[in-house]
Amino acid sequence: KAGVTQTPRYLIKTRGQQVTLSCSPISGHRSVSWYQQTPGQGLQFLFEYFSETQRNKGNFPGRFSGRQFSNSRSEMNVSTLELGDSALYLCASSLGGLGEKLFFGSGTQLSVL
Amino acid sequence: DQQVKQNSPSLSVQEGRISILNCDYTNSMFDYFLWYKKYPAEGPTFLISISSIKDKNEDGRFTVFLNKSAKHLSLHIVPSQPGDSAVYFCAASGDSGYALNFGKGTSLLVTP
């Protein structure tokens, strides 16, 4: 069974640009979550989608948005990039029930210059 | 506001000894707790979990203990092996449904 796939693996952008990150969940998983990890911080929850609907949203500005497609694949978009957006962005999938363990991808390392 | 806290940023243990990683939480609505392990350049991998109706869960060398009255949980690794060297994250969910609240992690180094 293939794991969670995130593309691209690395990304370099400049301030003010926008970026789209992609995530393909494990086959059969209908929930996709996104997390941001920065140096010295834990993983911070961005949002979670289940069957194309956003069920939860973390405390991030509106520049961060996401969506989920009918095949459960998900994209995350960050507009008007700031230096502080440099981070490892992790996608995780699960069956979608409460307390379900998440299966994480290897992440997209975003650097904003 | 950090609702899940791992107060020890790092821990060093000798091979064969017990590793104890601690985690505190502030939100009494949390009812699922999970531990993840993370190697550099990889995503976190699930280790073990416990629900609030239990106080202990074992899986091989890994045991998680939950003390609800103290809002504290711990992960015991016995015996510790060099391959266990990684960053360990404690996570909790329950108040907002499907989001996991993570601690900042504890970097474990197991020395031969």
Side-chain angles (χ1 to χ4, degrees):
Chain A
K1 203 176 199 180
V4 178
T5 304
Q6 290 189 247
T7 56
R9 187 72 179 88
Y10 300 95
L11 207 47
I12 299 175
K13 292 285 186 178
T14 56
R15 278 182 301 174
Q17 287 187 309
Q18 76 165 15
V19 66
T20 299
L21 312 181
S22 181
C23 173
S24 293
I26 291 172
S27 177
H29 284 187
R30 295 167 65 188
S31 169
V32 173
S33 304
W34 289 89
Y35 289 82
Q36 180 197 65
Q37 186 185 14
T38 51
Q41 298 292 322
L43 284 76
Q44 295 182 284
F45 173 72
L46 281 155
F47 26 67
E48 187 258 356
Y49 289 87
F50 182 84
S51 293
E52 303 178 68
T53 300
Q54 188 182 86
R55 292 195 298 192
N56 274 118
K57 188 177 190 308
N59 190 24
F60 277 81
R63 300 186 297 108
F64 292 81
S65 63
R67 59 178 176 168
Q68 186 180 33
F69 303 96
S70 59
N71 62 358
S72 293
R73 191 177 69 83
S74 178
E75 287 182 347
M76 187 191 114
N77 185 275
V78 188
S79 62
T80 320
L81 284 166
E82 301 178 358
L83 296 179
D85 296 334
S86 295
L88 179 66
Y89 289 89
L90 291 157
C91 166
S93 75
S94 77
L95 293 172
L98 284 171
E100 287 275 353
K101 62 184 181 185
L102 303 183
F103 294 83
F104 283 86
S106 296
T108 294
Q109 184 67 54
L110 172 65
S111 297
V112 182
L113 307 178
Chain B
D1 180 29
Q2 196 81 18
Q3 299 186 73
V4 178
K5 299 177 184 178
Q6 294 176 258
N7 293 319
S8 298
S10 62
L11 176 67
S12 182
V13 171
Q14 277 191 317
E15 181 178 7
R17 300 285 187 103
I18 183 171
S19 295
I20 300 176
L21 295 92
N22 293 304
C23 178
D24 297 296
Y25 61 95
T26 57
N27 191 333
S28 58
M29 298 299 290
F30 288 150
D31 52 12
Y32 292 100
F33 304 90
L34 307 90
W35 285 93
Y36 284 81
K37 178 168 79 171
K38 187 178 185 300
Y39 293 116
E42 293 183 14
T45 54
F46 170 79
L47 262 180
I48 192 169
S49 64
I50 189 168
S51 75
S52 59
I53 62 172
K54 294 186 173 182
D55 54 20
K56 178 182 173 182
N57 189 27
E58 280 182 87
D59 185 1
R61 296 186 297 114
F62 302 91
T63 303
V64 57
F65 295 91
L66 174 63
N67 182 334
K68 283 181 292 184
S69 60
K71 295 192 180 67
H72 177 84
L73 64 155
S74 61
L75 174 68
H76 293 211
I77 306 174
V78 183
S80 301
Q81 299 172 354
D84 295 329
S85 298
V87 177
Y88 289 77
F89 290 97
C90 170
S93 72
D95 65 331
S96 58
Y98 307 98
L100 285 183
N101 296 269
F102 282 86
K104 293 186 179 182
T106 295
S107 179
L108 173 65
L109 176 65
V110 180
T111 57

